[in-house]
Amino acid sequence: MLKTILKTSSAAFVAASIGFASAGAGFAMDENPMVGGAPMYADKNIVENAVNSKDHTTLVAAVKAAGLVETLQGEGPFTVFAPTNAAFEDLPEGTVETLLKPENKDMLTKVLTAHVVAGDIKAADLMKMIEDNGGTYNFTAVSGDALSAQINDGNVYIIDENGNAAKVTIADVNQSNGVIHVVNSVLVPK
């Protein structure tokens, strides 16, 4: 089902989270930034890179528990807003443990796919989409949830249906099957 949703998602809804300041700071635009103390390789897929980031161990465990490894190793392209371990720790106590229980696999899958968009969009492209749309770009995640992107103080924020905003802290981490943008908060579907 997820593969079907990914394939049928319209390119019009493709978006990525981009921190304007981070897009050009600290690394050359043609090189991938380090994430979680590990190099990220543009010739490896999303899962192959994510497993090396010490800042994304919770996300990797959740992807495994939801059975999404094979999908995120697929051809894509995918844009992933990757919450850090600290972002998951900011959720109410017990939330992560509850989501990781086998009986909650559907709920976990919905939360994770709220961080995935079909397509591959870079920082400059999303910034232009936001500007071209009057300061807010609305799009749909693979989960079917509505997201929006806005710029505030030079940073891009991805906002979920509940009004929670995730700031992009590292943008344009290129993958063989898309791009990852690291965010500091978990997007929570309704």
Side-chain angles (χ1 to χ4, degrees):
M1 178 175 162
L2 178 59
K3 289 180 184 178
T4 303
I5 294 169
L6 290 172
K7 288 180 182 178
T8 60
S9 292
S10 169
F13 295 117
V14 173
S17 55
I18 318 309
F20 181 79
S22 66
F27 62 96
M29 291 304 288
D30 61 347
E31 295 178 18
N32 265 347
M34 299 275 288
V35 176
M40 298 286 115
Y41 301 101
D43 63 343
K44 293 189 180 221
N45 67 50
I46 291 165
V47 175
E48 289 171 328
N49 275 317
V51 299
N52 294 318
S53 169
K54 68 180 179 197
D55 291 342
H56 291 91
T57 56
T58 303
L59 178 61
V60 169
V63 166
K64 289 177 181 177
L68 295 174
V69 171
E70 185 177 318
T71 299
L72 292 175
Q73 288 179 326
E75 185 177 324
F78 307 107
T79 298
V80 176
F81 314 123
T84 60
N85 293 343
F88 281 102
E89 290 168 8
D90 285 343
L91 292 171
E93 188 174 331
T95 301
V96 173
E97 294 79 11
T98 299
L99 286 171
L100 291 174
K101 291 180 180 178
E103 62 267 23
N104 295 324
K105 183 177 178 181
D106 290 343
M107 187 179 350
L108 176 62
T109 299
K110 182 151 175 77
V111 169
L112 293 175
T113 58
H115 295 81
V116 180
V117 178
D120 180 349
I121 258 205
K122 305 295 188 241
D125 298 325
L126 184 62
M127 296 292 290
K128 184 171 180 356
M129 287 187 282
I130 293 168
E131 291 169 6
D132 289 351
N133 285 285
T136 300
Y137 182 72
N138 297 309
F139 54 100
T140 302
V142 169
S143 64
D145 294 283
L147 300 174
S148 62
Q150 296 180 349
I151 301 169
N152 188 2
D153 291 329
N155 294 295
V156 170
Y157 290 82
I158 303 302
I159 303 159
D160 64 26
E161 292 177 331
N162 297 303
N164 301 312
K167 177 183 173 184
V168 176
T169 58
I170 302 174
D172 288 346
V173 185
N174 296 311
Q175 315 292 301
S176 64
N177 61 345
V179 64
I180 291 175
H181 303 287
V182 178
V183 294
N184 70 349
S185 185
V186 176
L187 302 169
V188 181
K190 276 193 172 181

